[in-house]
Amino acid sequence: MKNIFLTILTFLGISSQMTAQVGIGLSSPNTNAMLEVSSTNKGILLPRLALTATNNPSPLSAHVAGMTVYNTATNTSVAANPVYPGEYYNDGTQWQRKSALSEKTMLSGGTIGGDALTTTTLDVPAATTTGSISTITLATISFTLNKPSLVEFNSNISAIFTNSGIAPGATGAGITDNAVKICSVYYSFTAAPAGIPVNNAFGISSLSYINSFTTFITTGNFYLVPRSTLTLPAGNYTITVNGAGASGMAFRITFGSGNRDAINIRATPSK
């Protein structure tokens, strides 16, 4: 009977320890943590294994939400679900890669000084049909994505409205025709991997101008801010920043004469 009693006490002691917090390297782990590890010169080493695709649990037998591993393999055989070396967690349906801050890449812009756009003029004729729009390319930028990425396009483009054929500040530049003038800036791909539309406008920023006075009112630069965020596959890209205008009366738009014109493109790997 005595031996049975001691066995029960021992079992109860072990169970109590198993349900309490566990500390490695410290005697009093945080009460809100099941496990706390403390060290001043060592880290935690995650399981290192080779994933095959983000939509494939292998080498696990199934997707398990919360599972975290370090992937050692580069596998792009499944184009839509590639994997690259790095830390991954599983959301229950697929592997998600944890991107490091150092992997964010500024593909264009990002400098403190400088002006991203040279002065470019667009003379817009009077519209002869509804929807008539004149366009011009303001800048062309090429870049390469080594991994599928979330790409942010953010720009700040200046524009001045004057009478057709007349530069800002010149005699006769002031518009007094009381007609609405439409101005837009947008992006479009001229080259991209298969499946990405080319020559389609996106990130459009527009504004309108009208002078209802009989004399010219000095306005200075207006600023348009075309923006867009796209999820893009790895590959080579060429993008243009475009200006456009339309009105029932002819006029000129001068793009890029300001000193704060910027074209910023930033990529963050998403796989």
Side-chain angles (χ1 to χ4, degrees), residues 124 161-164 175-184 206-211 244-253:
V124 180
F161 297 81
T162 60
N163 279 315
S164 183
I175 295 176
T176 60
D177 58 22
N178 198 33
V180 177
K181 311 289 189 293
I182 303 297
C183 175
S184 297
S206 300
L207 59 84
S208 61
Y209 172 80
I210 182 172
N211 180 13
S247 177
M249 300 291 290
F251 72 107
R252 169 175 284 190
I253 309 173

Side-chain angles (χ1 to χ4, degrees), residues 181-203:
K181 311 289 189 293
I182 303 297
C183 175
S184 297
V185 176
Y186 61 93
Y187 307 104
S188 63
F189 289 113
T190 57
I196 302 300
V198 297
N199 301 319
N200 282 13
F202 66 94

Side-chain angles (χ1 to χ4, degrees), residues 150-154 202 227-231:
L150 190 70
V151 184
E152 303 165 71
F153 301 86
N154 294 285
F202 66 94
R227 295 178 178 174
S228 186
T229 301
L230 302 177
T231 299

Side-chain angles (χ1 to χ4, degrees), residues 19-238:
T19 58
Q21 291 74 33
V22 177
I24 300 177
L26 73 170
S27 58
S28 301
N30 190 291
T31 57
N32 292 296
M34 284 301 297
L35 172 65
E36 181 177 354
V37 180
S38 177
S39 176
T40 58
N41 58 3
K42 292 180 174 62
I44 296 176
L45 190 59
L46 292 174
R48 290 155 291 175
L49 46 81
L51 300 179
T52 58
T54 55
N55 65 338
N56 189 338
S58 179
L60 276 64
S61 60
H63 290 296
V64 180
M67 187 71 69
T68 301
V69 301
Y70 184 90
N71 172 49
T72 59
T74 297
N75 192 332
T76 58
S77 59
V78 183
N81 299 281
V83 292
Y84 302 89
E87 187 177 343
Y88 283 75
Y89 70 92
N90 199 289
D91 65 6
T93 60
Q94 64 179 342
W95 294 105
Q96 300 281 1
R97 190 172 189 274
K98 293 185 178 181
S99 296
L101 182 63
S102 60
E103 290 187 298
K104 294 186 177 182
T105 304
M106 188 64 74
L107 304 172
S108 171
T111 58
I112 295 175
D115 190 48
L117 194 64
T118 59
T119 300
T120 305
T121 60
L122 173 63
D123 282 307
V124 180
T128 56
T129 59
T130 301
S132 294
I133 299 174
S134 299
T135 63
I136 192 169
T137 298
L138 304 177
T140 301
I141 300 168
S142 296
F143 60 88
T144 298
L145 296 178
N146 295 320
K147 301 175 182 178
S149 301
L150 190 70
V151 184
E152 303 165 71
F153 301 86
N154 294 285
S155 297
N156 193 53
I157 307 297
S158 61
I160 296 178
F161 297 81
T162 60
N163 279 315
S164 183
I166 304 178
T171 301
I175 295 176
T176 60
D177 58 22
N178 198 33
V180 177
K181 311 289 189 293
I182 303 297
C183 175
S184 297
V185 176
Y186 61 93
Y187 307 104
S188 63
F189 289 113
T190 57
I196 302 300
V198 297
N199 301 319
N200 282 13
F202 66 94
I204 301 172
S205 175
S206 300
L207 59 84
S208 61
Y209 172 80
I210 182 172
N211 180 13
S212 59
F213 297 93
T214 56
T215 57
F216 171 60
I217 303 299
T218 302
T219 60
N221 283 298
F222 293 94
Y223 278 88
L224 296 98
V225 285
R227 295 178 178 174
S228 186
T229 301
L230 302 177
T231 299
L232 299 174
N236 298 316
Y237 295 82
T238 299

